[in-house]
Amino acid sequence: MFKSPFSQILVFVGFIALFSCGEKASDEIYVGKLEELVTGDLLVKKDSLTKNIEVKQVIHHQGIDFIISLADRERTIQYYSILTGEKVKEIKLPFDGPNSFKGYIGLLIAEGMDSLTIVNMDGWFYDYYQGNRIKEERIDSKLEFPNTYYSSMYHGRRNNFTKVSESQYQISVVPLVAPSINFSGKIKAFDKIEEWIITFESKENKAGVQNLIFPFGYRSDFVEDHLSYPPIVEIMDSKNYVLFPYSDSVFVMSDFKIVDRKKLDSGVEFNFIGSENIVRGEYGYVELKKEASSHLDFLYDKYRNVFIRISKINESGAGETTRERTKHHLLSIYDEDLNPLSEYTFEYGPGSKLENYFIASDGFYLNKPEQPNEDQYEFYRLDLSKIKKP
């Protein structure tokens, strides 16, 4: 991290000077409709005991892609074939015995059909192989924020758990509990918090914390906005790509030191005006303002060597809450150097929302707005090879 505010300002000025030249004009970026990319669908077949599909990961095993889903956050993990939509395997972690799992599933990584690595909501690390528990240990992080792991699971926009090497892991945390339901008092979202990443070496049972820098002016503008965090962190080629919800700047970090910064250009104008508190009776909600924009995720597609940014542009309709309005989204595609390729708009109407999406070898999948059949869960399949390029 930088040693003084003055040196930090100098670095930002240098970055601005470096990347302000030669950027693609926003009016030259193609903005189309998502329907242009849709080439099929996927129908995941649910049994009577599966209430919901919660996609956490996709694995490629013996030439076939499989969805890993949490059907029951407590201890049930399901594997679905993308080829057929059928459930091919289910694991229920036992309560008791030598292979028992304590608490609730929080963060999950599957490797093949036999290996599972799990962090529960209390920060315990588990390794399973073919149903046998081979490791159970506490991740002893110096972070002293209450419910750090719990917050990471419920307030993150993605699966915030990454395997960096054979025994090294990275957890993106949200070191803040949500505000009280009646919004009494003010809890600052950032304050002096800059430690967003826990690094964990499972062989030696060593944990550390790492800082992520804020975009210039971000802290002062959104210090009390609880939807302005957590930062979105994607790993590619041992580098961390860091994007905050209300910023177009991506920081590229190597060994948690900034090596690059780039503004992600767009053909759509974003309106970063933040969230609002909505109170209904005894309950309160934090939601984006109707006209507000936010970046929801940033992903690397290793099959097509492109980056994917998912954003919310705004909402429309007369409803008082997000659920009652139409949500307008944008799918932005960038090349490996973060240059814009093209963008596509899509919508989710009242009562529906963007809740599941994933990258597979044959395309990019996202949930359909309407789910008319309780016995299956439906996705659009997008062919990203069809995107329009400059």
Side-chain angles (χ1 to χ4, degrees):
M1 296 301 294
F2 302 115
K3 295 182 179 180
S4 71
F6 181 70
S7 62
Q8 183 171 337
I9 291 172
L10 288 179
V11 172
F12 271 108
V13 171
F15 276 133
I16 292 171
L18 180 61
F19 294 107
S20 61
C21 300
E23 293 182 343
K24 187 177 181 64
S26 60
D27 57 1
E28 296 177 4
I29 301 172
Y30 176 78
V31 180
K33 299 289 187 180
L34 192 73
E35 291 81 3
E36 300 172 32
L37 303 180
V38 175
T39 57
D41 53 23
L42 168 64
L43 308 182
V44 175
K45 300 168 186 176
K46 296 163 54 181
D47 57 36
S48 59
L49 299 178
T50 301
K51 296 181 180 179
N52 64 293
I53 299 291
E54 182 183 351
V55 178
K56 303 303 290 184
Q57 187 187 343
V58 175
I59 62 171
H60 192 73
H61 180 70
Q62 296 182 347
I64 301 175
D65 289 335
F66 295 89
I67 294 172
I68 311 299
S69 171
L70 289 185
D72 175 355
R73 183 172 283 275
E74 292 188 13
R75 52 189 66 248
T76 303
I77 304 163
Q78 297 179 332
Y79 296 68
Y80 292 89
S81 167
I82 292 180
L83 189 64
T84 65
E86 299 278 356
K87 183 171 67 176
V88 299
K89 185 175 182 177
E90 181 172 274
I91 298 174
K92 293 187 177 181
L93 298 174
F95 287 95
D96 304 306
N99 300 314
S100 65
F101 173 80
K102 299 180 179 64
Y104 298 89
I105 295 174
L107 306 172
L108 169 70
I109 295 175
E111 294 184 82
M113 304 296 283
D114 296 319
S115 297
L116 287 171
T117 302
I118 303 168
V119 176
N120 74 8
M121 294 186 182
D122 296 317
W124 282 83
F125 178 95
Y126 291 84
D127 255 342
Y128 284 90
Y129 182 72
Q130 293 184 345
N132 298 312
R133 192 185 71 200
I134 59 178
K135 185 167 292 187
E136 177 192 24
E137 55 194 11
R138 181 76 165 89
I139 301 178
D140 187 15
S141 167
K142 76 172 187 178
L143 292 180
E144 298 179 353
F145 308 103
N147 296 334
T148 295
Y149 294 96
Y150 177 90
S151 298
S152 302
M153 293 147 206
Y154 279 100
H155 300 285
R157 295 177 172 86
R158 59 185 305 165
N159 185 3
N160 299 316
F161 189 30
T162 305
K163 187 173 184 179
V164 180
S165 64
E166 180 183 358
S167 59
Q168 292 183 333
Y169 297 85
Q170 182 173 300
I171 302 171
S172 304
V173 300
V174 184
L176 178 72
V177 179
S180 58
I181 61 173
N182 62 358
F183 303 106
S184 60
K186 288 186 177 181
I187 306 174
K188 291 186 177 180
F190 299 143
D191 200 12
K192 297 181 179 179
I193 298 170
E194 291 186 352
E195 295 168 334
W196 297 94
I197 301 291
I198 295 174
T199 55
F200 181 63
E201 168 56 64
S202 62
K203 283 185 177 180
E204 301 178 6
N205 192 20
K206 291 183 178 179
V209 295
Q210 302 293 339
N211 290 3
L212 298 179
I213 194 168
F214 294 104
F216 187 73
Y218 199 88
R219 184 198 298 265
S220 60
D221 289 344
F222 304 115
V223 67
E224 294 179 358
D225 189 330
H226 294 267
L227 295 187
S228 65
Y229 71 92
I232 302 157
V233 184
E234 177 74 332
I235 293 182
M236 194 271 284
D237 291 340
S238 300
K239 294 180 180 178
N240 285 286
Y241 289 73
V242 182
L243 174 70
F244 280 80
Y246 300 164
S247 172
D248 291 323
S249 295
V250 170
F251 294 96
V252 185
M253 307 186 76
S254 178
D255 195 24
F256 296 98
K257 296 179 176 62
I258 296 176
V259 296
D260 206 348
R261 170 196 176 273
K262 193 160 187 177
K263 178 180 181 293
L264 294 181
D265 289 324
S266 173
V268 173
E269 184 175 350
F270 296 110
N271 188 18
F272 298 125
I273 57 173
S275 66
E276 61 183 348
N277 299 336
I278 298 175
V279 179
R280 282 190 166 183
E282 298 179 353
Y283 297 96
Y285 309 87
V286 180
E287 294 184 349
L288 282 178
K289 295 177 182 178
K290 183 176 179 180
E291 302 81 10
S293 305
S294 178
H295 300 310
L296 306 181
D297 214 336
F298 187 64
L299 310 165
Y300 176 67
D301 181 346
K302 65 180 181 180
Y303 299 103
R304 287 151 286 270
N305 194 27
V306 296
F307 286 95
I308 301 169
R309 185 177 67 181
I310 304 172
S311 307
K312 184 176 180 180
I313 305 171
N314 56 27
E315 298 174 355
S316 62
E320 295 182 19
T321 66
T322 291
R323 178 175 176 79
E324 299 164 334
R325 299 192 289 248
T326 296
K327 282 71 69 178
H328 301 277
H329 294 281
L330 184 70
L331 187 75
S332 305
I333 314 297
Y334 300 87
D335 68 17
E336 67 275 16
D337 296 317
L338 299 179
N339 298 310
L341 297 176
S342 54
E343 299 180 299
Y344 300 88
T345 60
F346 59 103
E347 299 175 354
Y348 285 82
S352 65
K353 63 180 180 178
L354 176 63
E355 60 184 4
N356 279 305
Y357 49 86
F358 58 88
I359 296 167
S361 60
D362 64 344
F364 181 70
Y365 289 78
L366 50 79
N367 67 281
K368 294 183 179 181
E370 305 297 333
Q371 300 290 336
N373 192 332
E374 293 183 357
D375 298 327
Q376 62 191 28
Y377 191 92
E378 301 184 12
F379 293 87
Y380 291 119
R381 182 172 71 85
L382 310 182
D383 184 356
L384 298 188
S385 68
K386 297 179 63 176
I387 64 172
K388 289 194 175 183
K389 297 182 180 180

